[in-house]
Structures are given as structure tokens and as C-alpha cells.
Amino acid sequence: MDAGSGFCLCAAAGWLDVIMIAALCGAILLGFPVAFSLAGVAIIFAVIGLASGVFDPAFLQPIPQRINGAVMNSTLIAVPMFILMGVILEKAKIAEELLDEMARLFGSMRGGLGLSVTMVGALLAASTGIVGATVVTMGLLSLPTMLKRGYDPAFACGSIAAAGTLGQIIPPSIVLILLGDVISNAYQKAQLEQGVFAPETISVGDLFAGALFPGLMLVGLYLLYQIAVATFQGTKAPAIPQSELGSRKEVWLAAARTLPAPLLLIFAVLGSILAGAATPTEAASVGAIGALLIAGARQREDGAQSWEGRAIAAAAAATVALILLTSNLDLRLGREAPSGVESLAIWISFGLCALIPLGLGASVMRLSRGGVLSAAADQTIRVTTMVFTILIGAAAFSLVFRGLGGEETVRGALDAAPGGLAGAVIAVMLVMFVLGFFLDFIEITFVVVPLVAPALLKMGVDPVWLGVMMAINLQTSFLTPPFGFALFYLRGVAPEAVRTADIYRGAIPFIALQIAALAALTAFPAIATWLPSALYD
Amino acid sequence: MLTTIGEVLMLTLWCVVAPTLIVPIGAMVSDRSRIASAVLPFPLSLTVVFAFLLFSHLAVDLRRPDVNPYAFFLLLITLCLICATGAKWGADRIAQSIDGLLRPIVTAIGKATGLFVLAMALIQFTVVVLRYVFGWNSILLQESVTYLHGGTFLLAAGYALLTNDHVRVDIFYGSASPRRRAIIDLFGCYVFLFPFCLLTIAMSAPYVANSWAALEGSTEQSGIQAVFLLKSLIPAFAVLLLAAGFIIATDAARTIRDTKPAPKEATA
């Protein structure tokens, strides 16, 4: 290598971290899977760095440890099980049923279909939280009905796109689990760097608790807006005559049959995490098994054996009885001399425990006959793998980025942001907002958050507040024309008759609501931080 | 001397697997010229191998005097085989047969992990019942969930690549012609995916070898004493991705071969 090119390399070497980011943007826009683009760009820049002598190959050594870390991480184990729960509810058409029943329940009100979409979005959110899936499901199911009933296309599209993104901010969404894990690492790191050697920790539970009120606030704002439109511009959201929906009594009976089980499941899962009674992983497994039972009970086909239905019902009843017994009596085994009542209860609970596998078995048999089970398992592994492969690619990227001194560059840029802490937060939020046009929540969580969060947290930002702000900010980004993901997915499933401009126009009021929510959170951070501190301190 | 099985595997990786990755490129030109498909692998494979010599102090050092004769001959034999068969049948046919061998394996392993997910939920649920109702903790059961979790996403990664489930940014890709998509896929495989897989294997070799040497077990006494197997999933992940990458690269190469480049817009 001659002296000239050596000099050029050295001059460029100092900027390698910045060039690396630019190269990454170019690479992912090509359209090759993001996970591998991240890792590939990392390796290319590691080689360039090695050649120009500014990169220490020791930075590459931890790649296998990072992958192993993703395997061993006890929080992330919740992810595949939550995905399984959501996918079962979707494949067994329970999500569909929920939407149908809600629409019948509220349809006779003006704007009722819009309200039901928002509420189902919030509920499904809890179980899936993957933007595309929810928007597509609701776009396919609700949009045609809403249009047929004379809803304004822009209003209908806006409602569906916005409701589809609610999924990620309402716990227990998967993105909050991932974000919680990343932020808790960043928080520890920030404290260690400040010389706090017994750092406070934040958990995924904290972030769930923190996101609950802001999430509900958004649901409330959406509902208020929809009620306002229905009241003042009735032609945009007409009511459906009660006669077409069936008598009021029929509607309520049908709702009473279909709604309680999934709702109970979702609240039980969320409640047990928030109450600190169970870890997200434990709650996720209960959610997945519960979804399996509900799906089994709903799966009716010709020639179904009645014993299966009874077994499933018995298993569900046994589970409830077991919870009641456990909360009232001490059933722990291996104690000295349990009282008479307690030993009786222990024997009863053994019997109850035997009923659960019976019901599960029946449920599994039914679902696998219908092909639902294998479809759900297949879908689950694909989504899970997609998530974790991005984690691995992002880990490789951030190792090399750090090796090239990128961390100091980011910190320097944030420190130099005009307006100090507020300026830095605003800058980060704007960058994430723009990135949200191109990247999914998962990629931003694994690539961007670990880079910026430690610096912000070190400046004194509250970790829970930061996480919630990031989540709502990204959610807004997904709704913003012309690139927003939610709009993109909705365009994919919307009928030809709906103009793209309608979709864009419909999203705007909801973006305004999102910005109002962000402003409220900035003015009153307690909306996010109060519940975690009240629950866990 | 080649003393450990790890060194033999590494040698196979660099001198047999890495050069074979070139085959799809040969398939791209095989109908135009047998000679091209026979000669092309030489410089390209050597480039791959020498690029990775840069990292050789991280894997087995192919330049080491006790290793290099083996490395040299293995590499030579592999290249000759590829070129000879390439000249005889065209690289397309080699790619096709490797493809036919790999695709069912990758798919079967991926699909099998569906059972892991179900088992995971069932076992975790059992752990919850045992713990909350009967106050009984089982480290063995809890750890088995971790094993299944690792098995799921590490073994299904290749399958997910075949089913195109890894997220893409499809602003441009979505509206691109099949030919352009194939070019992007082929480029991505060689520039991003293959280097990543080879690097992961090289990096995890010492990590996994240490674990095997110690027959590393759980940190808990009553845990599953097979952490070395769990860690072996990391190179397995990379190998399966490599196999899946080979398949999509072959598909892409065929698409490029069989489609005509879009005619340039005539400037009005």
C-alpha cells in the first residue's frame, strides 16, 4: 500500500463509525433481510478497520457469548410464548370473533364500529403487538363492513390503522418486553459508568406498569375522538339499525358467550405481571396454555366428540378451582404436618391437576385435526426466529460499532445537542421518528436504543419514562404518511375503491392525538412513572 | 498435526464448505458457457478463502506448517472436483443436487422446532403450577425451557430464511422486478450472509470447544449438565443459515440467468 492511500485510509478511519451508519442505511434499503444486512455491514467494516489498523479484532470475540446470552436470558423466553398465545388466538379465529361480537354490541350506536375496532385493537395488542398482523387482521375484517355501512373511508381507515398500532404500547406487548430488556441493560451500564456499583434495576414489569396508563390514555383519546366525530358529523359514522344486528337480547347473549374467556385470559396474564405475582415468562406460559384451551373449546367441527368439549371445560374449571384453593390454603408439599383441611385440599388439588392435562390433550387433538395447531406452531417459530435473528445481527453490528469508537461519537453528539438534556431527548426522538419510517420496532429497539439510551440515562432521564416515550413516538411514526408501516399494511388489504389519500387523511387526527399524548407525558411524567413506583417501591 | 476434531472441522469449513459456496455463481453462467462455469470457481473460491485468512488467528491458522499441507490439498481437491463436475455437467446441476440435498434437511429441522415451542409452553406451565400451587421448584424443568427456547430460534433461522420470514425493508425491494430482487438476494448472500455465517462459526469454534473440553454443565447442581450441547447450537445455527443461503443464492442465480435484463428506457 503506498503512502497516499495509507493517508487516505487514516483520514477516513476516524470517521469509520459514521460511514458505517451511512452504509447500514444504504444496505438495508436494498431489501436484503435486515438481520443479515446488520451483521454483514459489521463484518465489512471490521475488515476495513483491521486493514487500516483502527479496529481491534478482540471486539469480535464476544459474538458467540452474545448469541448464548439471547438463549439464556430469562426475560426473553417470554417472547415465543406470548407470540404463541397471540397466534393461537388469531388462527383459531378468536380475534375475529371478538371483533364481530364487539361490532354487534356497539354497532347500533353511531360510530360504534369505530369504537369496537379501537377496543379490540387495544385487547389484541396485549397479545400480539406486532403492528402488521393486527392492522392486516382488522383491515380485512372491519374495513369492508365499515365501508358497507356507509362510514367515511378516511375515518374508517384512520381508526383501523391507529387501533392496529395500539398493540405495541399496551402491555403485555412483545415490543415492550424487548424494549424493557434493552433499557434495563442500558440503565445498569449508565449507572456503572457513573460509579454506582450497586445499580438500581428496572424490570420488564416496571415498563409494563409504566406503559399501562399512557396506553389507556391513548385508548381514551381515540374513543373520545371517535365519539366526537359520531356526534357532530353523524354522516361519517352512521349507526346500524338494531333490527339488522338481531334483537338486543340475542346480541347480549352471544357476547356473553364469546367475550368473557379471552378477556379473562388477557386480564389474568397482565394482572399477574403487574401485581408482581408472576414473571412475564410465567404469565406468558399461562397465557399460551389458556389460549390453547379457549381455542380448543371454540373449535367445532363435524363429528366432534362431546367428551372433548367436556374435558376442556373441566380443565378450565380445574384451573380456576386450583387458583382459588391456592390463594386460600397453603398447599406446599414437604411441610411438617399440614392440617387436616390442608391435606384434604392437597389431595383435591392433585385431582384437579390431573384434569388439566386431560383437557389440554383434548384441546390439542381438536386443534391438530383442524390443522390449527401446526399452523400456529409454524407461524410462532417463524416470528420468533425473525425477532431473535435481528437481535443477533444487531449485537454483531453494535460490537463492531463500539470497536470503531462509535459509542463516544454518539455520546459526544448528544452532549453537544443544543438545549442540554431536553435538546438531546428531542434529537433522539426525532431521529427515532424518522427511522420508524424504514425500520420496524424490533430493529430500532436492538440497534438504536442501546446506542442512545445509556447516554440519556446518564444525563438523568427516568428509564421508564424514556421507554414509554420511545414506544409512543415510534407508534406515531408508524402512523405518519407517507411511509408509516401501519398505513402501508392497510393499503395492502384495503379495497381498491379506497383511495390512498383517504388513508393518509384519516391518519392525521390520530397523529394529532399521539402528539397530544407525548406532550402530556412530557408535561406530566408521572403518568408513566407513578404506577411502577406505587407498585414496586 | 491435526490433533482435535475441532481442527478437522475448521479445516473442512475453510477448505471444503467455503469454496463450495461459489457454486451458485457458476450456475448463473452455466448455460452460456461450460468453460466459464468450470473456471469461475477458481479465483472466486480463492478470494473467499484468503479473505478469511485475515481472521485466521481466530480460527485454525491455515498457514501453520503442521496444518498447511492438509489445507492445501483439501482446497485443491475441492476446487478440482467443483471445476471438473462443473465442466462435465455445468455448475447448475451441482447446485441443483446440493440444493435437493439441503432443502429438505433445513426445512425438516425448522419445522421440528414447532414442537419445541409447544413443549416449551407446556413445561413452563407445569413449572408454574408446581411452583405456585405446591411450592415445589424444579431447576431441571426450568432449564429445559431454556434449552427448548435456544433450540427454537437457533435451529429455525435457516428455515425462516427459506420461507422468507426475515424482515426486509421493502421500500424498493417490494416494487423491484424479479430479476432485480434476485440480484439483491445474490449480492446479500455473498456480501452479508455468508461472511456472517463463516465468521460466527470461526468465532464460536474456540468457545464451543472449551465448553466441550470441560463438558460444561449447569451452574446449578440439579440442573441439566449439557451446556456444551446448548452452546453447540450456535455453530449449528450458522451452518443451517449457510445451507439456507446456498439454496436462496442458487434460486437467485437461476432467476438471473433465466430473465433478461430490463431494456433501458429510451430517452424521448
Side-chain angles (χ1 to χ4, degrees):
Chain A
M1 179 184 307
D2 64 295
S5 74
F7 174 76
C8 281
L9 269 179
C10 287
W15 290 92
L16 268 184
D17 48 356
V18 181
I19 303 171
M20 186 178 176
I21 296 277
L24 176 69
C25 295
I28 51 182
L29 282 179
L30 275 181
F32 197 67
V34 177
F36 307 120
S37 305
L38 279 164
V41 168
I43 293 172
I44 294 169
F45 278 82
V47 172
I48 299 176
L50 276 173
S52 54
V54 293
F55 181 75
D56 178 0
F59 274 99
L60 288 173
Q61 301 277 22
I63 287 180
Q65 275 99 317
R66 289 296 181 89
I67 301 179
N68 195 48
V71 175
M72 293 296 197
N73 185 319
S74 59
T75 309
L76 294 182
I77 293 183
V79 171
M81 288 187 276
F82 271 127
I83 295 177
L84 182 64
M85 170 180 167
V87 172
I88 291 178
L89 289 180
E90 185 207 320
K91 296 266 174 206
K93 306 244 188 287
I94 291 171
E96 219 176 295
E97 229 174 48
L98 212 59
L99 202 54
D100 271 355
E101 284 309 324
M102 286 278 198
R104 278 179 76 188
L105 211 53
F106 294 103
S108 57
M109 280 165 64
R110 265 197 276 170
L113 291 179
L115 301 180
S116 68
V117 163
T118 302
M119 281 185 279
V120 174
L123 288 170
L124 285 186
S127 64
T128 58
I130 290 168
V131 186
T134 324
V135 174
V136 167
T137 312
M138 299 208 298
L140 282 174
L141 295 175
S142 301
L143 190 55
T145 322
M146 289 170 95
L147 293 176
K148 201 172 72 195
R149 297 295 180 178
Y151 273 60
D152 175 52
F155 178 67
C157 290
S159 300
I160 291 174
T165 60
L166 267 177
Q168 40 188 276
I169 175 78
I170 297 189
S173 81
I174 288 150
V175 284
L176 285 178
I177 299 179
L178 302 176
L179 192 61
D181 191 57
V182 171
I183 287 199
S184 102
N185 291 338
Y187 193 42
Q188 290 208 1
K189 199 171 154 209
Q191 292 181 86
L192 283 175
E193 282 175 10
Q194 285 172 308
V196 182
F197 288 104
E200 286 177 44
T201 54
I202 71 152
S203 64
V204 171
D206 287 318
L207 195 59
F208 278 2
L212 188 66
F213 281 135
L216 292 179
M217 178 173 81
L218 275 175
V219 176
L221 285 174
Y222 284 10
L223 292 178
L224 280 179
Y225 165 70
Q226 287 166 330
I227 292 173
V229 168
T231 318
F232 298 114
Q233 297 173 295
T235 50
K236 281 190 173 180
I240 304 171
Q242 185 73 48
S243 55
E244 288 181 37
L245 297 169
S247 79
R248 200 165 280 270
K249 194 176 149 207
E250 269 171 33
V251 170
W252 279 100
L253 273 177
R257 216 176 45 236
T258 45
L259 295 184
L263 293 188
L264 195 70
L265 183 69
I266 289 165
F267 287 128
V269 168
L270 182 55
S272 61
I273 299 173
L274 289 183
T279 64
T281 308
E282 291 166 343
S285 75
V286 176
I289 296 298
L292 207 58
L293 283 177
I294 296 175
R298 290 291 158 76
Q299 191 77 17
R300 292 192 196 85
E301 81 269 318
D302 296 326
Q305 272 131 8
S306 56
W307 73 267
E308 289 173 346
R310 267 181 249 133
I312 295 168
T319 314
V320 174
L322 212 51
I323 293 170
L324 288 177
L325 269 180
T326 310
S327 46
N328 291 314
L329 290 165
D330 185 355
L331 304 177
R332 281 172 301 157
L333 302 175
R335 286 176 309 138
E336 304 258 319
S339 71
V341 181
E342 280 170 357
S343 9
L344 181 67
I346 289 175
W347 283 109
I348 294 176
S349 58
F350 279 158
L352 292 174
C353 282
L355 284 175
I356 298 176
L358 201 66
L360 269 178
S363 195
V364 164
M365 276 168 65
R366 269 193 178 184
L367 290 173
S368 45
R369 267 204 308 271
V372 174
L373 195 64
S374 57
D378 197 54
Q379 179 75 14
T380 308
I381 56 169
R382 290 163 170 205
V383 177
T384 308
T385 305
M386 179 273 283
V387 172
F388 281 92
T389 313
I390 293 175
L391 192 160
I392 294 170
F397 183 84
S398 60
L399 283 172
V400 175
F401 190 67
R402 257 203 310 171
L404 293 171
E407 227 162 38
E408 286 81 44
T409 310
V410 170
R411 186 158 312 157
L414 287 179
D415 281 338
L421 179 58
V425 172
I426 292 173
V428 166
M429 291 296 166
L430 283 178
V431 169
M432 286 178 77
F433 184 81
V434 174
L435 285 175
F437 292 156
F438 308 100
L439 293 178
D440 210 316
F441 205 125
I442 305 161
E443 291 123 61
I444 295 177
T445 304
F446 289 140
V447 180
V448 183
V449 179
L451 287 177
V452 296
L456 289 181
L457 293 174
K458 231 169 134 179
M459 293 165 142
V461 178
D462 183 272
V464 170
W465 180 81
L466 184 66
V468 174
M469 286 292 281
M470 284 176 166
I472 300 186
N473 180 30
L474 280 179
Q475 195 203 339
T476 315
S477 168
F478 295 153
L479 267 179
T480 304
F483 289 120
F485 269 109
L487 309 178
F488 211 68
Y489 285 119
L490 186 60
R491 177 68 273 179
V493 294
E496 288 294 317
V498 176
R499 287 177 306 145
T500 307
D502 288 333
I503 300 183
Y504 290 172
R505 207 152 41 81
I508 290 167
F510 289 95
I511 298 171
L513 294 177
Q514 294 284 122
I515 293 173
L518 283 172
L521 265 172
T522 313
F524 309 102
I527 303 173
T529 55
W530 177 77
L531 188 63
S533 63
L535 281 174
Y536 302 118
D537 287 344
Chain B
M1 261 306 285
L2 291 173
T3 43
T4 63
I5 189 156
E7 279 181 334
V8 175
L9 287 176
M10 277 297 112
L11 208 60
T12 320
L13 178 74
W14 297 131
C15 299
V16 180
V17 179
T20 310
L21 290 176
I22 289 308
V23 169
I25 296 258
M28 198 164 73
V29 294
S30 71
D31 69 329
R32 304 229 172 95
S33 137
R34 286 262 165 97
I35 299 170
S37 81
V39 175
L40 207 60
F42 257 114
L44 289 173
S45 303
L46 289 176
T47 318
V48 171
V49 172
F50 284 114
F52 275 87
L53 280 178
L54 203 58
F55 291 103
S56 55
H57 54 292
L58 302 165
V60 56
D61 190 344
L62 302 184
R63 289 166 304 188
R64 243 166 54 197
D66 54 331
V67 175
N68 82 46
Y70 295 98
F72 180 73
F73 283 115
L74 257 170
L75 191 58
L76 198 68
I77 293 170
T78 312
L79 286 180
C80 288
L81 267 176
I82 295 173
C83 297
T85 42
K88 179 103 173 57
W89 296 307
D92 187 61
R93 191 154 147 202
I94 321 174
Q96 209 173 357
S97 42
I98 298 179
D99 189 330
L101 186 73
L102 293 179
R103 197 187 288 263
I105 299 178
V106 175
T107 310
I109 293 177
K111 286 211 183 254
T113 61
L115 288 177
F116 290 7
V117 172
L118 295 176
M120 208 175 141
L122 287 173
I123 296 174
Q124 183 67 52
F125 181 72
T126 314
V127 169
V128 170
V129 172
L130 288 176
R131 174 157 166 230
Y132 287 93
V133 179
F134 301 113
W136 193 64
N137 286 312
S138 165
I139 293 169
L140 199 76
L141 282 180
Q142 189 61 62
E143 284 194 353
S144 67
V145 176
T146 304
Y147 278 68
L148 290 168
H149 170 62
T152 307
F153 73 87
L154 289 175
L155 294 179
Y159 170 60
L161 187 61
L162 287 187
T163 52
N164 200 9
D165 276 303
H166 290 292
V167 192
R168 298 171 184 268
V169 173
D170 52 8
I171 297 179
F172 300 119
Y173 189 88
S175 56
S177 66
R179 182 182 167 84
R180 176 152 299 171
R181 286 188 192 193
I183 294 174
I184 291 170
D185 281 346
L186 199 68
F187 174 83
C189 278
Y190 282 96
V191 178
F192 300 147
L193 182 63
F194 292 156
F196 167 64
C197 296
L198 292 173
L199 183 73
T200 305
I201 298 173
M203 291 298 174
S204 59
Y207 181 71
V208 177
N210 287 340
S211 184
W212 273 84
L215 287 180
E216 187 184 0
S218 168
T219 46
E220 304 282 341
Q221 222 198 335
S222 55
I224 301 174
Q225 305 302 330
V227 171
F228 61 99
L229 288 180
L230 188 59
K231 286 187 175 171
S232 306
L233 290 175
I234 298 170
F237 156 82
V239 169
L240 285 166
L241 272 178
L242 216 49
F246 186 94
I247 296 169
I248 61 168
T250 306
D251 286 348
R254 290 218 181 104
T255 313
I256 294 173
R257 187 192 63 198
D258 297 338
T259 51
K260 293 243 163 0
K264 286 244 165 68
E265 295 272 327
T267 41

